[in-house]
Amino acid sequence: TLVMFRGDVDAHDGFMKTFEKSADLNQGNALFSYSGVTEGGQAKIAKMLGADENKLPMLIAHMQTNDARDRYFYSGSVKDITTDQVT
């Protein structure tokens, strides 16, 4: 699962279009989602995965295993992300 945490102001930025294109290119291989970090269920998911409101936008890959939960934080600038970097 890849989750793009972003603020409402980022909804139409270019990196979101890149993320959506990556989701289309990888359909069936991974679950792609985006979320805010401050309201209701979104806040719970953000807390569980370690998203930080002060570091938005941020991309977190989440993989559940039998024994644990692995998380990978994209370390580059999400605003400059390419489809190759997402896949």
Side-chain angles (χ1 to χ4, degrees), residues 7-68:
D8 290 339
V9 297
D10 299 320
H12 302 290
D13 277 3
F15 73 89
M16 283 304 298
K17 293 183 186 349
T18 301
F19 188 68
E20 290 168 6
K21 183 177 179 183
S22 297
D24 288 341
L25 293 171
N26 291 285
Q27 196 169 33
N29 296 322
L31 175 65
F32 285 70
S33 182
Y34 62 88
S35 179
V37 296
T38 58
E39 297 181 22
Q42 292 181 347
K44 290 179 184 178
I45 292 169
K47 183 177 180 181
M48 179 182 79
L49 294 181
D52 183 343
E53 183 178 7
N54 297 315
K55 295 181 181 177
L56 297 181
M58 62 187 306
L59 178 61
I60 301 175
H62 170 260
M63 188 169 131
Q64 184 71 41
T65 64
N66 289 337
D67 300 327

Side-chain angles (χ1 to χ4, degrees), residues 55 57-61 71-81 85-86:
K55 295 181 181 177
M58 62 187 306
L59 178 61
I60 301 175
R71 293 173 292 164
Y72 302 94
F73 296 82
Y74 180 73
S75 60
S77 170
V78 172
K79 290 194 175 208
D80 298 324
I81 204 163
Q85 292 168 319
V86 175

